C-alpha cells in the first residue's frame, strides 16, 4: 500500500498504464432470473459477489436446479480473496454447497443472519466443507488484498441484513446494490438515501444494479402499507387466519408476528423451512415475540379459532409444502374449516400458476375465505421499480451503469432508466453472462473474450452430468413418448428368431392397439427379410432402416413422432 | 304450441308439475379456461352453447389440445335442436370439427363472421362433414323446437359479432352472455346497456356469466384508449412498425388498419391465421381499407420504412409463427433492423412467458424498440372485470346467477360480484363440469347426478386415445428418463446368453458412464444366476426383481428414479 500511495503522485498516464485494468465478469443472473454470481479481478486478486441458484425451466425438465459455471475460477482458487454474499435468498446463496470446494473454500464475507442460514444449509450436505465466514456489519470496511477493499452498506429488501457493497479497486469503485427497493415515508419521500448519496460522492466507476422490476412503473409500495392491509384483514377475520408467504420473507414474517401479538392471536409456524428461518431470525433478535406467542401446531386446538394465526409454507402450491398438506387433509393437526381466512401474501413464481390456482380452488371449495394480492395489496415485490431505480441512479452518479439481475429486455429497460436519470446512453453497459469487461479509470470495454458461463444442472446427486443431450431426450420423451423394438436375429443365418418385442411408453396405450403392433412386427420382419445374406449384417444400417420406416409408419397412422429405438440382438 | 299456450291458463301448480324441469349441464369451461360447452335440455329438446377447445397444460405434455366430452349427447343426437356458437374464438368453436359427427351434425346457429371462420376451418379436416349453419343477426328470434326458443343480442368483445343469447324455456329464460366486457363513453358511462335492461325486464331465470376477470377490480379500459395509445406510438415511430396481436382480435386489427391509413402507412399481414382472418373480415365489411393499403410482404421493400406497418402472428413466441421467423432470420422477406418499433398488443397465455421473454430479448438485441403492455396500455382483455360484471348483473336481475368460464375460485369471486350487485348469496350457483342441475320455475337444484365431463385429449390424429396412463408415463419420462435392460436367456438352461443390452434416454449420458452400466449388467446376471433352475422361468417375477433392484441401485448412485423397463428374450 505504501508503494501504491507514493505512485499516486507520479505522472498520471504512466500510472494508468501500470495500473492495467480490472476484469469484471458476470457468471450468471444476466440472462435469467436467478443464478446470480459475478466477479471482479485485479492482478491476482479476485472478489466474487454471490453464488445463487436458478429454478428449472420448461426446457430443463426433471432438473432440481441450475447453478453457475465456475470453471474459470477453478484454476485461480488461490486468487479468491473474498466471496461476498449480499443476502440470504437462494438466488444469491443457493449454489454455495456445490461450489465451496471448487472455489477452494474461500473466505466468505456476509452478515450474521446470512451466515447462520448458509451454515445451517451447509450442514445438510455431508460432503461439503465447513465454511470460513467473516461476519460483517453495515459500514464495515474490509481490505481483502493488496489492491481490493470492500465496504458494506444497508439496502431495503424482503429479508433483513441485505447488504450493498462497494468494491474499491485501483481504477475506481464498483458498487453493487444487491437486490433492493426503496422504502418511503408517509410523505412519499424515499428513506435511507443519505448513505447512497455518500457512496455516490465517493465517486463510482461502475454501478451494478438490480433489473428485476426495471419495466414496472412508479415507486415501491411501502412494506408498511402491506402490513396495514394485513392488520385490517386480520381484524375482520372471525375464525383462524392461515397466512402463506415465502419463508425467506423474514422481514414481513417478523412484522406479522408483531401484529398477531397486538391482536391477541397465538402464532403457529408450519413447514420446515419457515420454522428454521424463524428460529434463526429469533436467535438473532430479528423476531422478538413474547414467550408464549409462538405455539406448536399440535396445540392449535387448545385455543379459540379467533385467537390463532398459522404461518405456513406452500405459497407456490408445491406438492409437499405446508399449505398443500393442509388442503389435501394429509396434515396431522390442521384441516381447513369454514370460517378460516387464508391469505396468500406472495406472488406466483412463473410456472407455478396452475398449482396455485388448484390450491386456491380447493381451499375455497372447503369453505375458506381465500384472499390474494389481486384482491387487496398484501404482497409487494422486494425489487425496485422505475421510480426507485431512477432515484438511486441519480444519487450514485456512476461513470458506467451495468444492469444485472434479469433478462436482456429488462436490463435494456433499466439502461433506459439510467438515461431518464440523466446518464448518457453511452454510459450504459449491457453484458452477457461469461463476457469479460476491461475496466480502466475512464473506460468500460466489453471485450470479445469470454469464460464458460453455460448452465450447470443439478439433478439428484449429479452436478453437471445432465447435459443438452439428456435434456433434449427428456423433452422429446415428454411430447410423444418412446417406442423400443427388439429384434432377435440368428447370427449365422440372419433370420429373425422370434416375433419382435415392442415396449412403448407415453405414445399410445398398447393394450388397445394390438393391430398397430402386429403390423409393425410384420414390417420389421419384412425389412430384415429383404436384406441380402451374402455378407455380415450391418447392425447400424438395419437399425436405421427400422427407425426410419417404423417412424414414418407411426407418423402416417397417428401424426405423432415417438422416439423410435430399434435394438438388434444377435444370437 | 297451440296446446302449450292453452295450458297456460290452467291451474298454476298442476302446470308446474306437468312442465317438469329443464336440465342445465355444463360440459366444460367451469374448472379451466377454455373448453367452453354447456347444454340445456327440456323433454326431448336440447340446445348446446359453444364447443371450445382448451390449450394443453403442464400435466398434459405433448397433447395438441383438450376438447369436451360429449358422450352424454351421443345417444341423444336427434334431440339436438341447435348448437349456438357465441363468437369466433377457439375456446368457443375450436372443438367443432372433432364433434360435428358425434353430435349428428346438428343445425348451428351463429352470425356471419363466425360462420365464415368455422366453415373455413372445417374444410381443413378432410373427414369432417359439411356444416349445417343458419345465420342469425342481433335481435333475431328463432324457435328451435316445440318448447325452446332462442333470441340473440350483441355484446362487446374482441372479435366482431359476439352474441349473447336468451334461451326461452317453459320454466323461464336462461341468459348466456358469451365472453363480454362493457364499453364506456368518454364520461365513463357504460354503452349499449338498454338492450341488457330490456332482457332483464323480460324476466331471467338463470344468468350464465363470464368469470375470466371476476377477480379484477374496476371497469374495462375502453378499446378506444388502446387505439389512442397505439396511434400515439405509431406517430412517434421513425422506422417500420411491427405489431403482433392474437389473430382472433379482429376488432382491434380492423382499427389498426384504419389508423395506419390515417398515418399514410401501408399494411402488410404476416402469418397464415391472421391473413385468413383479415380476408374473411374484409369480405364481410368489418375491415374497410382503401384498395392499395394492404400490400404483400414481398413488396415491403418498395416502400419507405416509415410508411410501413407489419401486422404479424406470433405474439406468444410460438416457434413457427410470424414474429419468431422474423426474429430468427428465417423469414423470406422481413428481418429486424435498428429503428424498427415492435409492439406486443397482447397478453401472455400462461405457459408462454419464457418464450415471449426470449423473443423480446432477441428483438431488442437486434436493435428493435420493443413495446409491451407493461410499458403502455396497448392491450386490454376482452373480459369484464368486477365493475362491469356488477353493472350487468344489476340490469339482468336474474333469479339465479351461474358463473361460467373460469376456475372455481374465479367463479366464487363472480358469485361475490353478484352479491355486491344485490343478489342474496343463495341465488348464486357454482356448478362443476358434468353436474346436472334441475331448473324449475322457482328453483335451481344441483343434483347428485352427473354426466362424463373428463378431458378428451387430441394428439395428432388421435382423439381420446391419449389417456391418463400415457400422460403419466410422459410426465415420468420427462422428469427422469428411462432405462431399458434387455436380457437374453436360453429357454432350456435358463442361462444368460449374452451380456445384457441397455438403452437409456433422458437419464444420464451413457457414453460417460460405462462403469455404471457394467455394474448394472453384472447385477442383472447375478439376479438371474441366483434363480433356481428346477422349474420354468417366471418371466414376470424375474422382471420385477430386475426392475426393483436396478431401480434401487440407480437411485442410490444418483438420487434419480428413471423408468426401469426390463425385457427378457427367451431363445
Amino acid at each position: 500500500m505504501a508503494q501504491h500511495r507514493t505512485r499516486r503522485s507520479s505522472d498520471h498516464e504512466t500510472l494508468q498504464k501500470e495500473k492495467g485494468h480490472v476484469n469484471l465478469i458476470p457468471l450468471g443472473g444476466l440472462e435469467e432470473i436467478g443464478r446470480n454470481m459475478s466477479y471482479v479481478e485485479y492482478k491476482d486478486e479476485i472478489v466474487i459477489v454471490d453464488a445463487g441458484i436458478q429454478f428449472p425451466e420448461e426446457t430443463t425438465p426433471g432438473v432440481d436446479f441450475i447453478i453457475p459455471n465456475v470453471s474459470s475460477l477453478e484454476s485461480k482458487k488461490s486468487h479468491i480473496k473474498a466471496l461476498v454474499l449480499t443476502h440470504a435468498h437462494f438466488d444469491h446463496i443457493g449454489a454455495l454447497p456445490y461450489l465451496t470446494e471448487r472455489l477452494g473454500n474461500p473466505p466468505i464475507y456476509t452478515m450474521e443472519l446470512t451466515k447462520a442460514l448458509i451454515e445451517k444449509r451447509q450442514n445438510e450436505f455431508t460432503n461439503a466443507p465447513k465454511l470460513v465466514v467473516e461476519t460483517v456489519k453495515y459500514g464495515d470496511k474490509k481490505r481483502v488484498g493488496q489492491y481490493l477493499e470492500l465496504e458494506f452498506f444497508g439496502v431495503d429488501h424482503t429479508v433483513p441484513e441485505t447488504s450493498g457493497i462497494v468494491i474499491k479497486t485501483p481504477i475506481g469503485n464498483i458498487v453493487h446494490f444487491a437486490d433492493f427497493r426503496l422504502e418511503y415515508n408517509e410523505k412519499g419521500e424515499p428513506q435511507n438515501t443519505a448513505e447512497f448519496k455518500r457512496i455516490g460522492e465517493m465517486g463510482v466507476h461502475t454501478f451494478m444494479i438490480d433489473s428485476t422490476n426495471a419495466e414496472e412503473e412508479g415507486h415501491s409500495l411501502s412494506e408498511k402499507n402491506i402490513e396495514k392491509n394485513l392488520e385490517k384483514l386480520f381484524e375482520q377475520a372471525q375464525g383462524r387466519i392461515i397466512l402463506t408467504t415465502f419463508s425467506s420473507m423474514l422481514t414481513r414474517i417478523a412484522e406479522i408476528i408483531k401484529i398477531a401479538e397486538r391482536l391477541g392471536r397465538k402464532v403457529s409456524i408450519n413447514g420446515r423451512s419457515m420454522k428454521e428461518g424463524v428460529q434463526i431470525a429469533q436467535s438473532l433478535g430479528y423476531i422478538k415475540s413474547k414467550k408464549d406467542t409462538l405455539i406448536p401446531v399440535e396445540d392449535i386446538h387448545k385455543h379459540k379459532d379467533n385467537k390463532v394465526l398459522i404461518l405456513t409454507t406452500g405459497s407456490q402450491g408445491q406438492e409437499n409444502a405446508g399449505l398443500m398438506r393442509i388442503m389435501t387433509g394429509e396434515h396431522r393437526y390442521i384441516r381447513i374449516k369454514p370460517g378460516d381466512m387464508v391469505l396468500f401474501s406472495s406472488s406466483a413464481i412463473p410456472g407455478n400458476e396452475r398449482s396455485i390456482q388448484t390450491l386456491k380452488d380447493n381451499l375455497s371449495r372447503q369453505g375458506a375465505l381465500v384472499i390474494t394480492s389481486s384482491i387487496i395489496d398484501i404482497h409487494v415485490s422486494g425489487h425496485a421499480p422505475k421510480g426507485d431505480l431512477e432515484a438511486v441512479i441519480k444519487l450514485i452518479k456512476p461513470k458506467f451503469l451495468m444492469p444485472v439481475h434479469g433478462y436482456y429486455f429488462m436490463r435494456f429497460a433499466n439502461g433506459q432508466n439510467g438515461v431518464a436519470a440523466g446518464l448518457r446512453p453511452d454510459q450504459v453497459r449491457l453484458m452477457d453472462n461469461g463476457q469479460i469487461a476491461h475496466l480502466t479509470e475512464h473506460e468500460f470495454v466489453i471485450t470479445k473474450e469470454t469464460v464458460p458461463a453455460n448452465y450447470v444442472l443439478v439433478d439428484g446427486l449429479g452436478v453437471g452430468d445432465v447435459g443438452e443431450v439428456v435434456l433434449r431426450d427428456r423433452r422429446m420423451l415428454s411430447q410423444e413418448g418412446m417406442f423400443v423394438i427388439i429384434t432377435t436375429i440368428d447370427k449365422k443365418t440372419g433370420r429373425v428368431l422370434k416375433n419382435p418385442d415392442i415396449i412403448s411408453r407415453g405414445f399410445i396405450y398398447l393394450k388397445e392397439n394390438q393391430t398397430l403392433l402386429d403390423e409393425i412386427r410384420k414390417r420389421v420382419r419384412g425389412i430384415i427379410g429383404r436384406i441380402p445374406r451374402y455378407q455380415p449384417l450391418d447392425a447400424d444400417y438395419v437399425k436405421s432402416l427400422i427407425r426410419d420406416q417404423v417412424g414414418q409408419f407411426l407418423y402416417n397412422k397417428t401424426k405423432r413422432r415417438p422416439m423410435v429405438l430399434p435394438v438388434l440382438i444377435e444370437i
Side-chain angles (χ1 to χ4, degrees), chain A:
Chain A
M1 270 315 293
Q3 192 193 13
H4 185 67
R5 273 202 205 105
T6 328
R7 280 198 189 158
R8 283 247 168 216
S9 55
S10 76
D11 168 68
H12 189 75
E13 279 199 17
T14 325
L15 178 68
Q16 276 308 310
K17 262 190 201 147
E18 276 175 41
K19 270 188 192 166
H21 62 263
V22 161
N23 286 324
L24 175 51
I25 304 173
L27 290 178
L30 271 69
E31 285 156 275
E32 58 265 308
I33 295 292
R35 204 168 67 110
N36 295 301
M37 188 169 195
S38 320
Y39 64 96
V40 167
E41 181 178 37
Y42 182 71
K43 298 197 197 275
D44 56 357
E45 298 183 353
I46 291 175
V47 168
I48 306 173
V49 182
D50 289 332
I53 57 157
Q54 176 187 354
F55 290 103
E57 308 183 330
E58 271 167 55
T59 52
T60 60
V63 161
D64 298 337
F65 41 83
I66 305 168
I67 61 174
N69 186 331
V70 296
S71 55
S72 65
L73 286 163
E74 286 182 67
S75 58
K76 297 178 181 172
K77 282 178 200 163
S78 63
H79 297 187
I80 303 173
K81 303 300 173 196
L83 165 53
V84 180
L85 299 176
T86 58
H87 64 291
H89 282 169
F90 269 32
D91 53 339
H92 294 260
I93 60 169
L96 197 56
Y98 301 97
L99 301 181
T100 336
E101 201 151 358
R102 287 176 208 217
L103 298 175
N105 204 0
I108 293 170
Y109 290 79
T110 196
M111 294 181 70
E112 219 173 356
L113 177 68
T114 313
K115 175 175 187 284
L117 286 160
I118 58 174
E119 284 179 343
K120 173 109 197 156
R121 181 142 180 273
Q122 195 83 354
N123 285 337
E124 294 167 16
F125 289 72
T126 38
N127 294 320
K130 197 171 173 314
L131 299 173
V132 181
V133 186
E134 175 148 354
T135 315
V136 299
K137 292 191 301 295
Y138 294 149
D140 278 3
K141 291 175 193 169
K142 297 277 175 183
R143 174 154 292 281
V144 294
Q146 199 186 342
Y147 304 106
L148 302 178
E149 190 181 342
L150 307 175
E151 182 172 338
F152 300 85
F153 59 93
V155 294
D156 267 305
H157 189 46
T158 53
V159 63
E161 299 192 354
T162 301
S163 170
I165 178 183
V166 185
I167 305 171
K168 298 178 187 170
T169 81
I171 64 93
N173 294 334
I174 298 172
V175 172
H176 193 308
F177 252 56
D179 282 352
F180 81 103
R181 67 158 180 236
L182 294 183
E183 270 292 322
Y184 292 84
N185 66 11
E186 311 233 320
K187 289 183 203 155
E189 294 158 342
Q191 301 299 289
N192 314 325
T193 50
E195 180 74 343
F196 304 154
K197 198 160 168 252
R198 183 187 66 80
I199 291 163
E201 283 163 358
M202 281 163 49
V204 174
H205 185 281
T206 293
F207 182 13
M208 298 170 77
I209 185 168
D210 183 11
S211 310
T212 313
N213 279 350
E215 293 178 71
E216 304 296 320
E217 292 295 329
H219 296 274
S220 280
L221 201 60
S222 169
E223 185 69 23
K224 299 225 166 49
N225 281 347
I226 303 305
E227 287 155 11
K228 261 187 221 159
N229 287 341
L230 284 175
E231 183 153 4
K232 254 183 248 165
L233 285 168
F234 289 3
E235 281 167 0
Q236 290 161 19
Q238 305 287 317
R240 299 184 303 183
I241 296 168
I242 301 175
L243 185 144
T244 185
T245 186
F246 301 103
S247 52
S248 59
M249 303 272 286
L250 287 170
T251 306
R252 185 171 309 158
I253 290 171
E255 201 54 41
I256 288 169
I257 295 176
K258 265 195 228 163
I259 300 174
E261 261 183 359
R262 273 206 296 276
L263 302 178
R265 286 191 185 245
K266 304 288 178 195
V267 177
S268 195
I269 314 283
N270 180 49
R272 194 175 74 108
S273 61
M274 197 170 293
K275 250 185 220 160
E276 286 177 2
V278 167
Q279 262 162 20
I280 288 173
Q282 261 186 314
S283 71
L284 296 174
Y286 280 103
I287 293 180
K288 292 182 199 112
S289 60
K290 285 180 214 148
K291 224 184 163 185
D292 59 348
T293 298
L294 293 177
I295 58 168
V297 284
E298 48 269 40
D299 288 354
I300 287 176
H301 69 276
K302 298 183 186 161
H303 302 270
K304 278 192 194 150
D305 284 352
N306 63 5
K307 295 292 168 207
V308 170
L309 183 148
I310 299 162
L311 267 168
T312 183
T313 55
S315 68
Q316 300 301 304
Q318 310 95 310
E319 228 170 284
N320 288 308
L323 189 53
M324 189 60 104
R325 297 173 62 83
I326 295 175
M327 183 276 278
T328 57
E330 283 168 55
H331 197 284
R332 219 165 136 191
Y333 300 103
I334 316 171
R335 221 142 280 203
I336 291 298
K337 46 186 178 181
D340 285 347
M341 178 188 274
V342 180
L343 301 111
F344 284 76
S345 183
S346 56
S347 54
I349 295 175
N352 296 340
E353 292 85 355
R354 187 66 170 91
S355 325
I356 297 173
Q357 185 66 52
T358 306
L359 180 57
K360 288 194 306 187
D361 283 358
N362 288 329
L363 291 167
S364 182
R365 275 177 202 276
Q366 291 172 22
L369 176 63
V370 178
I371 294 175
T372 67
S373 243
S374 75
I375 303 176
I376 293 158
D377 285 322
I378 55 175
H379 176 67
V380 63
S381 163
H383 301 274
K386 273 179 197 294
D388 292 11
L389 292 163
E390 285 178 24
V392 167
I393 296 167
K394 277 183 192 156
L395 293 167
I396 297 297
K397 292 197 203 70
K399 282 186 195 160
F400 299 99
L401 185 73
M402 177 183 167
V404 294
H405 306 172
Y407 296 100
Y408 183 89
F409 189 70
M410 297 175 182
R411 292 186 289 112
F412 178 82
N414 215 359
Q416 301 289 321
N417 296 335
V419 174
L423 300 184
R424 296 183 315 274
D426 66 359
Q427 290 177 277
V428 176
R429 289 292 179 278
L430 299 178
M431 291 184 77
D432 289 337
N433 293 327
Q435 281 187 329
I436 301 177
H438 286 177
L439 279 54
T440 52
E441 195 178 349
H442 298 294
E443 275 308 326
F444 184 125
V445 178
I446 302 175
T447 68
K448 297 218 159 92
E449 291 166 69
T450 58
V451 302
N454 54 311
Y455 281 5
V456 174
L457 306 177
V458 177
D459 187 358
L461 294 182
V463 177
D465 66 340
V466 170
E468 200 35 58
V469 175
V470 171
L471 287 181
R472 194 198 52 207
D473 286 346
R474 286 185 184 173
R475 290 192 298 259
M476 275 188 67
L477 289 168
S478 77
Q479 293 302 301
E480 313 271 15
M482 55 90 170
F483 201 90
V484 182
I485 307 162
I486 303 155
T487 317
T488 320
I489 296 179
D490 187 315
K491 211 185 282 186
K492 289 188 206 113
T493 64
R495 281 191 330 191
V496 176
L497 278 175
K498 67 190 287 281
N499 215 6
D501 288 272
I502 290 172
I503 311 177
S504 174
R505 292 289 187 281
F507 170 55
I508 44 175
Y509 197 48
L510 292 193
K511 287 199 177 145
E512 292 167 2
N513 288 280
Q514 283 305 330
T515 343
L516 188 77
L517 297 189
D518 289 344
E519 198 154 341
I520 287 168
R521 291 201 180 93
K522 217 168 76 190
R523 274 167 190 257
V524 171
R525 300 183 81 115
I527 291 169
I528 293 173
R530 279 191 299 278
I531 292 173
R533 302 275 158 76
Y534 48 81
Q535 57 187 32
L537 192 82
D538 179 346
D540 286 339
Y541 173 66
V542 176
K543 285 202 270 185
S544 78
L545 280 182
I546 296 177
R547 188 180 304 116
D548 294 350
Q549 294 189 21
V550 173
Q552 191 57 45
F553 173 76
L554 290 175
Y555 182 72
N556 290 343
K557 284 282 177 193
T558 65
K559 289 279 175 285
R560 300 179 205 165
R561 296 194 184 282
M563 192 185 278
V564 176
L565 299 165
V567 183
L568 282 193
I569 310 271
E570 292 178 76
I571 295 288

